Amino acid sequence: MSDPVIGKLARFTPESALDRDALLFQAGRASVRTPGMWKWAVATLTVSQVFTLALLLGGGTPKPRPASPVEPVATESLQPDPTSIPEPISYAVLIRNFDPDAPPKFPSSGGGAKGPQPAPFTAGWRGKIE
């Protein structure tokens, strides 16, 4: 059951010794793409950075704007009127009445709630909206 081809291959010896590591290294180098795209990207970024730096540093001195007359602001208009009552949901009332330990209070609309209050929506709610 001996095959003549297998016998010939078993007796084969190359005339010069092959360097396995050098062969794999050359095969790896041959499989690499040519490095051209990254060089273009780096060159483009470098040129754009140089252009930006030239615009920032080479702008010279800015031209002065013509002065416009400034009208004085009356300080009375900036002060709040002490006789006015702030709205119940204003920021000033919120800060004045804030208590981090108390549950939130919502302002009522008018003279209080009329009729039963609707139940709050929950995650599994499947009721009707009336």
Side-chain angles (χ1 to χ4, degrees), residues 29-109:
R29 288 191 80 180
S31 68
V32 174
R33 296 182 201 161
T34 57
M37 194 63 171
W38 70 269
K39 289 181 182 179
W40 282 105
V42 168
T44 304
L45 289 173
T46 303
V47 168
S48 69
Q49 291 298 315
V50 168
F51 181 72
T52 304
L53 190 63
L55 285 178
L56 289 175
L57 295 179
T61 59
K63 296 178 182 177
R65 294 182 181 178
S68 62
V70 178
E71 296 179 16
V73 177
T75 57
E76 294 85 28
S77 65
L78 297 178
Q79 300 297 326
D81 185 14
T83 60
S84 68
I85 299 172
E87 293 191 30
I89 54 174
S90 70
Y91 182 70
V93 172
L94 175 70
I95 294 299
R96 203 175 308 135
N97 298 333
F98 180 70
D99 182 14
D101 298 328
K105 298 176 187 175
F106 298 103
S108 62
S109 59

